[in-house]
Amino acid sequence: MAMQRTPLLMSRIVDRGAIVSPQVEIVTATAAGMRRQTLAETRTRAHRLAHALADAGIRPGDRVGTFMWNGSRHLEAYHATAGMGAVLHTLNIRLSPTDLEYIIGHAADRIIIADADALPLLEALAGRIPCVELVVVAVEEGFENWHTSVAPAVDYEAFIAAKPDRYDWPELDESAPLGLCYTSGTTGNPKGVEYEHRSQYLHTMAQCMTDSMGLSATDTVLGIVPMFHAMGWGIPWSALMLGCKQVMPHRFLDPARLVALMAAERVTLSAAVPTIWQGVKAAIEAQPDRYDLSALSRLTCGGSAPPPSLIRWYHDVLGVEMIQGWGMTETSPLATLSRRAMKHGDPSRPVDEQLANVAKAGQLLPGLELDIFDEDFNRLPHDGETVGEILVRGPWICSEYYNNPQPERFHDGWLITGDVGKIDPEHYLIIADRSKDLVKSGGEWISSVDLENHIVALAGVDQACVVAQPHPKWGERPVALVILERDADVPPQTILDHCATHYAKWQLPDDILFVDAIPLTSTGKMDKKAVRADLATQGYELPDLRTAGGLP
Amino acid sequence: MAMQRTPLLMSRIVDRGAIVSPQVEIVTATAAGMRRQTLAETRTRAHRLAHALADAGIRPGDRVGTFMWNGSRHLEAYHATAGMGAVLHTLNIRLSPTDLEYIIGHAADRIIIADADALPLLEALAGRIPCVELVVVAVEEGFENWHTSVAPAVDYEAFIAAKPDRYDWPELDESAPLGLCYTSGTTGNPKGVEYEHRSQYLHTMAQCMTDSMGLSATDTVLGIVPMFHAMGWGIPWSALMLGCKQVMPHRFLDPARLVALMAAERVTLSAAVPTIWQGVKAAIEAQPDRYDLSALSRLTCGGSAPPPSLIRWYHDVLGVEMIQGWGMTETSPLATLSRRAMKHGDPSRPVDEQLANVAKAGQLLPGLELDIFDEDFNRLPHDGETVGEILVRGPWICSEYYNNPQPERFHDGWLITGDVGKIDPEHYLIIADRSKDLVKSGGEWISSVDLENHIVALAGVDQACVVAQPHPKWGERPVALVILERDADVPPQTILDHCATHYAKWQLPDDILFVDAIPLTSTGKMDKKAVRADLATQGYELPDLRTAGGLP
């Protein structure tokens, strides 16, 4: 051994920001305004929480659930569990009681730290989660009279009060588990992804590279993406390491309130799914002169692809760079990222070409491997045309699911992502679709995402959702659900004509359905499974099948 | 195992730049102008070189020496050896034949790749390095008639010609050796530091963080620091991974030529020791309107501390940020880095305070630990005043020397750096001195570096070198060797008066010696060992010892 074999433990980096920049603030939105604490206070409180958890019997490897919005106490739970070697199991507040019961039991969470306002959502689980020995309740303004019957409960502040200020983080193996996050599949029970110290440590380093998000200690970050989704995209970890100011929106996710928060706290970087950025855009357009967003420089967008028209709007109107990322719970989650200028020649390219970069899922982060494959796992060409199943591997990619290996989701050491896409000659990944959302018509694939992006670029259209509907001759045909902007009047034919400027006739939607809302998944993406189920419930038929004659 | 256990091998990142940005150039200075090749060509040539080395019998773990300037073929040697698992042993061209003989024999280099122009320096080793089976000669313009008798020799181009374009990089353990670099100590033989794949991989990721050098694929980097010094500070690896344009000065290190190179190739970031930046400054001042350096944004400075006046000059005159780094061969080499703005509040601080950051060795890179200790290894306070021995540990810090463990250089898992310094309340490291260069007067330490920085800030002073001289009463007293700018006339008393504005009387130099040159080490630092030896040879005596009466 010639070099030191220092294990890659999160405990070696989570305290760093508080040490080098103790006075930087963690700011949490509450009903009474903003609650502020310094990084130094956050660190001390996290160490106290670790002592409290240890005193309550939590040992390295034990699961500690959180049922929380983004807030300072959720951050303390990240910090404490990472330091002490417990496993942070972030529970998605928006899951059904059935899924929550399964997940809590499968993970065998011993303690759950819950926001008081979210306790009613847990109440349905009373008597059904016997593994949970204690609920630690984080109380915000207005929720002082909380109650729960799911387990013995204690107030968070009482839990950590009078504990020592410093916990000697233990030396663990770098493959020790760090976190657990369940992903809701289309079939079967949710599956757990267990993050390890090494994998998240490497993910954190990659996220802090200039050509990733360009995260810097000088940033003020607003993570809107919930901390119960894939480690909040890793931002809490990176920000703790660097010593960034963090702004936490808690349960206040109304777009106008988010914009006000960005302006008031001089946020430089934020992260959310496209539907949030659509809402934020609408809030700004509603009151264009109200907000000073001059500090804002980057908006990271993941979960699904932002429409190019949205990327353009943020550039033209706010001078803000949208950064697209692609990944999933199984990839920690960052796998690719797209910046306006991320290759040597990019700064001298026209703005249109730079923005076209961002419309793609992006370049693979250093250290990962990714390729597209056909059904027999042959690699496909990188011609920007050929669509294949995306497989990925590398040091922060999942190798099996927690206590539920699912070998069919892996091939020869690669994760089968379930997304399909193409790779262009410049090695940009372009996501075509979730494989289950692709429309397969007459043996050819139609990308629902492409059609949606095209439709929302039309004036008067607010959102679009394209799903497949069964067709006896073609297999499947696309149908577009469309939400119009308020007071807009866009006839179906206008939308079809607009699509025909770009797509072949067989790729056009068979039907345009105007709707008031599109159901969202618990992660804020359009829930196409629910859309298809709704259509089935309504007995929806494709137009050419409605005639008595059957097939045309 | 929940996450993939992908080994951290350099082979997983060295090809990346060539894949994503194949057309970006590697540019090498030659007598006939610039030689250009693309990253794609560089990659292919590196893979061919790997085949050639393997065909010549090189196996994973075998040492391949390089005796080369910074040039495209040296980069190919980095790339090829890292990929195939051979160990790149970078030989310092400026070492004495005695040291070279020892180092080559100790490393048991089987092949040496040498620049043709440097062959005469190897010739003294004829018959003394039997381990070397082959010399591969990289020929630049004007050296076609090379000759060597140290071993059988072959032209580099002939060696790699007709080899396959792709080498399947083997799967190695991440602790496999990657490189070997000897450090010349003050006593005894040079000691080898063996870098591993894992350590250099992690170093590369840290170097590419925004808050490190902010290295980006969009950069054009000019590494002036030789690639035979501590992996060229890691820049060749980072640039290969990101796909930066790299500019290689080869043997043309005249400051005016370096400035011209920066201007012509639109360099954005360069790296060198302070003496180079002093020379570059003089070259620019000599012809202030000649060079367009508008692309230049950052100059990384290491090896020894840049004087604050130099940092200020580059800021005021060129609008360029100097970045100070501290480290050593044993630390891969980056341990600390200092930026103008590297903490959350820094961008809003006055420029003077920002530049004061850069005058310090800086903040520890994430993942490392560093502290100052007394002689009994008790930690000392971080008050910006207390000086102690600097110890460092972490995943890219050496744990022993190659086949020569030297346990006295390590303590409880920490590397004893041999530097002394202080840490201020903001956690900036400030190097006081090499422990062997500190002046110990009457039990108190005087920092030679501090005095030198103060003296060179005086108008008319070009360089200063402070060394200790023995004194029967005080132990040691400082003496300053000073090089004045051409035509400047600065009396000794002016220098002492200038020092007295900042230092106590007992800290002032006892003597000011005007000299024309100060000897440099092979790494371009002032060679204080040589200065002290010269003074001894000359029979130098401190002024107060020259009087017949002895002690004052």
Side-chain angles (χ1 to χ4, degrees):
Chain A
M1 188 184 68
M3 303 302 281
Q4 299 181 15
R5 187 48 42 85
T6 313
L8 306 181
L9 296 175
M10 294 303 284
S11 58
R12 296 184 176 274
I13 53 178
V14 286
D15 286 325
R16 183 179 176 278
I19 292 170
V20 301
S21 298
Q23 295 311 311
V24 168
E25 286 182 329
I26 305 296
V27 182
T28 304
T30 77
M34 305 308 292
R35 192 181 64 241
R36 297 172 186 280
Q37 65 189 44
T38 64
L39 269 175
E41 288 163 349
T42 304
R43 180 191 182 202
T44 297
R45 290 170 54 83
H47 283 242
R48 286 183 185 158
L49 175 59
H51 275 292
L53 291 168
D55 290 351
I58 295 296
R59 298 286 168 266
D62 283 352
R63 270 77 61 214
V64 174
T66 54
F67 195 71
M68 305 176 88
W69 305 104
N70 292 10
S72 59
R73 294 192 185 90
H74 205 170
L75 187 66
E76 290 159 15
Y78 268 61
H79 192 146
T81 51
M84 73 188 294
V87 180
L88 178 80
H89 176 200
T90 52
L91 292 159
N92 184 338
I93 287 184
R94 299 201 181 91
L95 286 186
S96 68
T98 308
D99 278 351
L100 279 174
E101 177 187 354
Y102 172 80
I103 286 172
I104 292 169
H106 189 263
D109 296 330
R110 296 187 57 194
I111 289 180
I112 291 177
I113 307 174
D115 272 324
D117 64 278
L119 283 177
L121 301 170
L122 276 186
E123 213 46 35
L125 304 182
R128 292 159 60 188
I129 45 173
C131 56
V132 177
E133 303 159 30
L134 182 69
V135 177
V136 179
V137 182
V139 183
E140 298 289 349
E141 192 91 15
F143 293 88
E144 293 79 3
N145 297 318
W146 56 270
H147 165 79
T148 183
S149 60
V150 294
V154 60
D155 176 83
Y156 184 99
E157 296 302 323
F159 189 59
I160 71 168
K163 299 295 180 189
D165 284 355
R166 286 293 171 268
Y167 192 111
D168 275 339
W169 301 141
E171 189 85 352
L172 307 165
D173 189 278
E174 66 186 36
S175 67
L178 169 80
L180 195 51
C181 189
Y182 282 74
T183 172
S184 39
T186 46
T187 56
N189 283 316
K191 294 182 289 294
V193 176
E194 188 182 63
Y195 302 120
E196 297 176 353
H197 280 262
R198 172 184 163 110
S199 60
Q200 203 65 33
Y201 186 108
L202 294 168
H203 182 272
T204 304
M205 294 189 82
Q207 183 168 44
C208 292
M209 288 184 182
T210 317
D211 289 342
S212 297
M213 297 183 185
L215 264 179
S216 159
T218 61
D219 274 316
T220 296
V221 298
L222 169 66
I224 299 172
V225 53
M227 289 165 73
F228 54 72
H229 285 166
M231 304 262 112
W233 297 353
I235 291 173
W237 300 123
S238 293
L240 279 175
M241 179 179 87
L242 296 175
C244 304
K245 176 177 170 182
Q246 293 192 61
V247 181
M248 302 282 192
H250 208 261
R251 66 191 184 281
F252 305 102
L253 298 172
D254 169 66
R257 179 132 187 195
L258 291 173
V259 184
L261 199 56
M262 284 191 225
E265 299 297 333
R266 299 198 62 72
V267 166
T268 61
L269 181 142
S270 185
V273 294
T275 45
I276 294 280
W277 298 132
Q278 294 276 19
V280 165
K281 166 175 175 277
I284 294 169
E285 286 180 319
Q287 296 184 284
D289 297 324
R290 174 160 176 191
Y291 307 104
D292 171 10
L293 295 173
S294 57
L296 192 64
S297 77
R298 286 112 63 218
L299 296 180
T300 305
C301 196
S304 54
S309 52
L310 190 68
I311 297 167
R312 185 88 219 182
W313 185 88
Y314 276 101
H315 172 268
D316 289 352
V317 176
L318 294 186
V320 163
E321 180 183 13
M322 195 161 262
I323 301 173
Q324 184 174 171
W326 171 81
M328 50 207 305
T329 302
E330 290 85 341
T331 65
S332 292
L334 291 180
T336 69
L337 273 175
S338 210
R339 300 290 303 267
R340 278 183 55 182
M342 63 189 318
K343 292 185 175 194
H344 192 264
D346 284 346
S348 54
R349 294 170 74 178
V351 168
D352 282 353
E353 292 183 22
Q354 293 179 9
L355 295 181
N357 284 350
V358 182
K360 304 171 189 172
Q363 296 283 326
L364 196 57
L365 290 184
L368 298 183
E369 288 176 277
L370 180 147
D371 215 338
I372 49 174
F373 293 82
D374 69 14
E375 292 176 357
D376 299 319
F377 294 110
N378 300 304
R379 290 186 194 235
L380 294 170
H382 296 185
D383 55 13
E385 301 288 336
T386 309
V387 172
E389 179 93 32
I390 301 167
L391 275 64
V392 60
R393 63 180 177 183
W396 56 87
I397 310 298
C398 160
S399 62
E400 64 179 21
Y401 291 92
Y402 180 66
N403 285 346
N404 180 10
Q406 302 272 329
E408 70 281 7
R409 291 291 307 275
F410 302 90
H411 172 77
D412 193 23
W414 297 75
L415 169 72
I416 302 171
T417 65
D419 278 350
V420 291
K422 43 201 179 186
I423 298 176
D424 72 14
E426 291 206 66
H427 296 275
Y428 279 93
L429 175 68
I430 299 152
I431 303 294
D433 232 325
R434 292 292 299 168
S435 53
K436 62 182 182 292
D437 292 334
L438 265 184
V439 184
K440 295 184 188 90
S441 172
E444 296 287 341
W445 281 352
I446 299 171
S447 162
S448 65
V449 171
D450 278 359
L451 267 176
E452 289 158 6
N453 282 342
H454 193 75
I455 294 171
V456 295
L458 184 63
V461 173
D462 187 38
Q463 288 181 55
C465 175
V466 171
V467 295
Q469 286 297 292
H471 191 285
K473 178 172 177 190
W474 304 112
E476 294 177 343
R477 290 294 304 154
V479 166
L481 283 69
V482 172
I483 304 177
L484 294 181
E485 290 175 359
R486 196 199 314 224
D487 304 328
D489 179 22
V490 185
Q493 193 56 46
T494 304
I495 294 174
L496 291 171
D497 290 348
H498 169 69
C499 292
T501 61
H502 193 74
Y503 291 96
K505 192 154 183 296
W506 65 271
Q507 294 172 311
L508 302 186
D510 274 14
D511 206 355
I512 306 288
L513 306 174
F514 292 104
V515 295
D516 294 327
I518 292 165
L520 299 180
T521 68
S522 66
T523 62
K525 304 179 197 179
M526 293 189 291
D527 189 345
K528 298 192 177 181
K529 191 167 69 161
V531 169
R532 288 189 296 260
D534 287 349
L535 291 174
T537 305
Q538 295 159 20
Y540 175 81
E541 282 194 318
L542 286 165
D544 68 344
L545 305 179
R546 292 176 204 159
T547 54
L551 291 179
Chain B
M1 188 184 69
M3 303 301 282
Q4 298 181 16
R5 187 48 41 87
T6 313
L8 305 180
L9 295 175
M10 294 302 285
S11 58
R12 296 184 177 272
I13 52 178
V14 288
D15 286 326
R16 183 178 177 280
I19 292 170
V20 299
S21 298
Q23 296 310 312
V24 169
E25 286 181 328
I26 305 296
V27 182
T28 304
T30 77
M34 304 309 292
R35 190 182 66 241
R36 296 172 187 282
Q37 65 189 47
T38 65
L39 268 174
E41 289 163 348
T42 304
R43 179 192 184 201
T44 297
R45 290 170 54 84
H47 283 240
R48 286 183 186 158
L49 174 59
H51 276 292
L53 291 168
D55 291 351
I58 296 296
R59 297 288 169 265
D62 284 353
R63 270 77 60 214
V64 174
T66 55
F67 195 71
M68 305 176 88
W69 305 104
N70 292 11
S72 59
R73 294 191 185 91
H74 205 170
L75 187 66
E76 290 159 17
Y78 268 61
H79 192 147
T81 52
M84 71 189 295
V87 180
L88 178 80
H89 176 199
T90 52
L91 293 159
N92 183 337
I93 287 184
R94 299 202 181 91
L95 285 186
S96 68
T98 307
D99 278 351
L100 279 174
E101 177 186 353
Y102 172 80
I103 286 171
I104 293 168
H106 189 263
D109 295 330
R110 295 186 58 192
I111 288 180
I112 291 176
I113 308 173
D115 272 325
D117 64 278
L119 284 177
L121 300 171
L122 276 186
E123 214 46 34
L125 304 181
R128 292 159 59 186
I129 44 173
C131 56
V132 177
E133 302 159 29
L134 182 68
V135 177
V136 179
V137 181
V139 183
E140 298 289 349
E141 191 91 16
F143 292 88
E144 294 79 4
N145 297 317
W146 56 271
H147 165 79
T148 183
S149 60
V150 295
V154 61
D155 176 85
Y156 183 101
E157 296 302 323
F159 188 60
I160 71 169
K163 300 296 179 187
D165 284 354
R166 286 291 172 268
Y167 193 109
D168 275 338
W169 301 140
E171 188 85 354
L172 307 166
D173 187 277
E174 66 186 34
S175 66
L178 169 81
L180 196 51
C181 189
Y182 282 73
T183 172
S184 40
T186 47
T187 56
N189 284 316
K191 294 182 288 292
V193 176
E194 190 182 61
Y195 302 120
E196 297 177 354
H197 280 262
R198 170 182 164 112
S199 60
Q200 202 65 34
Y201 186 109
L202 293 169
H203 182 273
T204 303
M205 294 189 82
Q207 183 167 46
C208 292
M209 289 184 183
T210 318
D211 288 342
S212 297
M213 296 183 186
L215 265 178
S216 160
T218 60
D219 274 316
T220 296
V221 298
L222 169 65
I224 299 172
V225 53
M227 290 165 73
F228 54 73
H229 286 165
M231 305 261 114
W233 296 353
I235 291 173
W237 300 124
S238 293
L240 279 174
M241 178 179 86
L242 296 175
C244 304
K245 176 177 170 182
Q246 293 192 61
V247 181
M248 302 281 193
H250 208 261
R251 66 191 184 279
F252 305 102
L253 298 173
D254 170 66
R257 180 131 187 196
L258 291 174
V259 183
L261 199 57
M262 285 190 224
E265 299 296 334
R266 300 199 60 73
V267 167
T268 60
L269 180 142
S270 184
V273 293
T275 45
I276 295 279
W277 298 131
Q278 293 277 19
V280 164
K281 167 176 174 277
I284 295 169
E285 286 180 319
Q287 295 184 286
D289 298 323
R290 178 161 174 190
Y291 308 104
D292 172 10
L293 296 173
S294 57
L296 192 64
S297 76
R298 284 108 70 217
L299 296 180
T300 305
C301 194
S304 53
S309 53
L310 190 67
I311 297 167
R312 184 90 220 182
W313 186 88
Y314 277 101
H315 172 267
D316 290 351
V317 176
L318 293 186
V320 163
E321 180 184 13
M322 194 160 263
I323 300 173
Q324 184 174 170
W326 171 81
M328 51 208 302
T329 302
E330 289 86 341
T331 64
S332 291
L334 291 181
T336 69
L337 274 175
S338 210
R339 301 290 303 266
R340 276 183 57 182
M342 63 189 318
K343 292 186 176 194
H344 190 265
D346 284 347
S348 55
R349 293 170 74 178
V351 168
D352 281 353
E353 292 182 21
Q354 293 180 8
L355 295 181
N357 283 351
V358 183
K360 304 170 189 173
Q363 296 283 326
L364 197 58
L365 291 184
L368 298 183
E369 287 176 278
L370 179 147
D371 215 336
I372 50 174
F373 293 82
D374 70 12
E375 292 176 356
D376 299 320
F377 294 110
N378 301 303
R379 292 187 192 233
L380 294 171
H382 296 185
D383 55 13
E385 300 288 335
T386 310
V387 172
E389 180 91 32
I390 301 167
L391 275 66
V392 60
R393 61 182 177 182
W396 55 88
I397 310 298
C398 158
S399 62
E400 63 179 21
Y401 291 92
Y402 180 66
N403 285 346
N404 180 10
Q406 302 272 329
E408 70 282 7
R409 291 291 306 276
F410 303 90
H411 173 77
D412 193 23
W414 296 74
L415 170 72
I416 301 171
T417 65
D419 278 350
V420 291
K422 44 201 179 187
I423 298 176
D424 71 14
E426 290 206 66
H427 295 274
Y428 278 92
L429 175 68
I430 300 152
I431 303 294
D433 232 324
R434 292 294 298 169
S435 53
K436 62 181 181 292
D437 291 336
L438 266 185
V439 184
K440 293 184 188 91
S441 173
E444 297 287 340
W445 281 352
I446 299 171
S447 161
S448 64
V449 171
D450 279 358
L451 267 175
E452 289 158 6
N453 283 342
H454 193 75
I455 295 171
V456 296
L458 185 64
V461 173
D462 187 38
Q463 288 181 54
C465 175
V466 171
V467 295
Q469 286 297 290
H471 190 285
K473 180 173 175 189
W474 304 111
E476 294 177 344
R477 291 293 305 153
V479 166
L481 282 71
V482 171
I483 303 176
L484 295 181
E485 289 176 359
R486 196 198 314 222
D487 303 328
D489 179 20
V490 184
Q493 193 56 45
T494 303
I495 295 173
L496 291 171
D497 291 347
H498 170 69
C499 291
T501 62
H502 194 73
Y503 291 96
K505 192 156 184 294
W506 66 271
Q507 294 173 312
L508 302 185
D510 275 13
D511 208 355
I512 305 289
L513 305 174
F514 293 105
V515 295
D516 294 328
I518 292 165
L520 298 180
T521 67
S522 66
T523 62
K525 304 178 197 178
M526 292 188 291
D527 189 344
K528 297 191 179 183
K529 191 167 70 160
V531 169
R532 287 189 297 259
D534 287 350
L535 291 174
T537 306
Q538 296 159 21
Y540 175 80
E541 282 193 318
L542 287 164
D544 69 344
L545 305 179
R546 290 177 206 159
T547 54
L551 292 178

